[in-house]
Amino acid sequence: MDSPSLPVNFDDVYQASQRLKGKVTRTPLLQSARLNQWLGQRILFKAECFQTTGAFKLRGATNFITSLLETGNIPRHIVANSSGNHAQAVAFAAAQANIPVTVFSTESISAVKAAATKDYGAELRLFATRPEADEAVKFAAAQDGVVWIPPFNHPLIVAGQGTAALEALQDSNQVDAVFAPCGGGGLLSGTLLATRELAPEAKVIGAEPLVANDAARSLQSGVIESLDGPVSTLADGAATPAVGDITFPLLQQLDDFYEVNEQQIAYWTQWLQHLLKVHVEPTSAMTMAAVAAWAANTPAGQTAMVMLSGGNISQASMAKVWATDYLLQPPIIGEYYDSE
């Protein structure tokens, strides 16, 4: 796994874990006895919804900024582009270092994520589309003394995100499969690195929205594919236009990958909130569709680790999730999803 051709490896994840001690929350593992009974497997959840900013993104942002401080490369300004969780993470981490931040995002950003980003002290600039926001942040990053912290495609970001899986695997017994959602691939790539080192026999499996399936298309074609344009999905954290040249080679080493429709995203968001009694956002609940398919095709009694990526969800998104009540019957695992 630690191939010299890869710009990030497990050693980077381990170094990040040391760097982040005392700076991010070591989030708990949760499970539901009812869910375990229904699926016939033991499902553990790494609950990043309990992270300081409500999502795993704080790990990568803090690792990046702490690394800058360690090397004495302190910028006069930080810029970032994000659909929400990365924006909050960079704003919070930069505030701890007293560095001003400007975040570039889209007008469709979740209201609760936008409010939190500004509350942490960042300036928020909104654009009609993600490509426009991405171009604007590139221009801003070209100015003297400005450092751009990308949402996923950087070794320090991937390594930081991988610390969530590192902690989860350290805190659990034998794990047979590890699941994570995929947007740009930072969390999933970091999860792969940590799992291959700490639980090398375990499968690593990803999931993304069917309507934002750039990663699945990329894995099929062998080259990075981009979305044709803006998409509307409940899993807004996974609506990234394309994966990166750093994350893609790692994603190509996954054991399986699933595309999940909007009904299943809503379905599992409701069920996880009900079973775990925690506030989870659709992007993190989405992965349960892949877990259900794995559980139905795997001998009973195995253990899966699910990276529950965050819990930031607006009232508007919550209303869409609950437009139909899916709690009237137990989870159905007989309906499978296409995997790559």
Side-chain angles (χ1 to χ4, degrees):
M1 170 55 66
D2 292 353
S3 167
S5 64
L6 296 176
V8 56
N9 56 45
F10 176 75
D11 286 342
D12 299 309
V13 177
Y14 178 77
Q15 290 171 17
S17 72
Q18 299 303 299
R19 191 176 286 130
L20 297 183
K21 285 184 176 178
K23 295 183 174 64
V24 302
T25 299
R26 191 179 184 100
T27 52
L29 296 181
L30 307 177
Q31 62 179 309
S32 163
R34 290 182 70 193
L35 182 64
N36 291 348
Q37 181 181 17
W38 284 332
L39 298 183
Q41 314 287 1
R42 180 172 178 244
I43 314 299
L44 302 175
F45 295 90
K46 176 63 169 172
E48 285 294 285
C49 47
F50 290 113
Q51 192 52 256
T52 302
T53 56
F56 73 96
K57 290 284 191 176
L58 185 62
R59 296 174 180 274
T62 303
N63 189 46
F64 196 116
I65 292 174
T66 303
S67 179
L68 291 176
L69 299 179
E70 287 176 352
T71 59
N73 182 24
I74 303 174
R76 66 173 179 82
H77 203 97
I78 287 173
V79 294
N81 51 321
S82 169
S83 62
N85 282 331
H86 179 64
Q88 294 175 79
V90 172
F92 182 88
Q96 305 309 298
N98 295 312
I99 303 172
V101 179
T102 301
V103 173
F104 299 77
S105 190
T106 64
E107 295 165 357
S108 62
I109 186 175
S110 164
V112 68
K113 294 176 182 179
T117 299
K118 291 187 285 188
D119 188 58
Y120 291 139
E123 177 187 0
L124 186 61
R125 296 185 185 177
L126 302 181
F127 297 81
T129 66
R130 182 63 179 264
E132 289 178 81
D134 292 348
E135 282 301 313
V137 78
K138 289 179 184 178
F139 178 79
Q143 310 305 308
D144 289 340
V146 177
V147 169
W148 175 17
I149 302 183
F152 54 86
N153 199 45
H154 192 283
L156 288 169
I157 296 294
V158 171
Q161 317 307 28
T163 63
L166 180 148
E167 289 178 3
L169 293 169
Q170 287 177 336
D171 293 344
S172 61
N173 296 322
Q174 179 179 346
V175 171
D176 301 291
V178 181
F179 295 81
C182 183
L187 176 62
L188 189 51
S189 295
T191 296
L192 181 84
L193 289 170
T195 305
R196 290 290 188 254
E197 179 71 22
L198 300 179
E201 300 302 315
K203 293 183 177 180
V204 183
I205 301 170
E208 73 178 349
L210 177 61
V211 298
N213 65 343
D214 60 285
R217 288 164 42 203
S218 300
L219 292 173
Q220 289 173 345
S221 68
V223 296
I224 296 176
E225 306 275 355
S226 298
L227 296 177
D228 296 330
V231 296
S232 177
T233 174
L234 292 171
D236 61 326
T240 310
V243 299
D245 58 356
I246 290 173
T247 59
F248 185 53
L250 290 163
L251 299 180
Q252 287 180 300
Q253 300 179 39
L254 294 170
D255 296 293
D256 213 343
F257 196 87
Y258 288 81
E259 302 169 58
V260 185
N261 65 43
E262 294 300 296
Q263 179 182 8
Q264 289 296 319
I265 295 173
Y267 183 93
W268 283 110
T269 303
Q270 291 185 20
W271 270 107
L272 287 191
Q273 290 186 356
H274 177 67
L275 292 169
L276 299 178
K277 312 303 180 189
V278 297
H279 202 60
V280 301
E281 58 185 279
T283 302
S284 50
M286 168 184 66
T287 313
M288 274 304 301
V291 176
W294 166 84
N297 292 282
T298 300
Q302 297 196 31
T303 298
M305 179 71 68
V306 179
M307 308 308 297
L308 206 59
S309 55
N312 298 314
I313 179 171
S314 68
Q315 185 277 333
S317 294
M318 187 70 81
K320 293 178 182 178
V321 166
W322 286 93
T324 299
D325 187 352
Y326 293 112
L327 299 184
L328 301 179
Q329 61 181 4
I332 301 170
I333 64 173
E335 181 178 346
Y336 309 137
Y337 315 91
D338 292 334
S339 63
E340 307 308 322

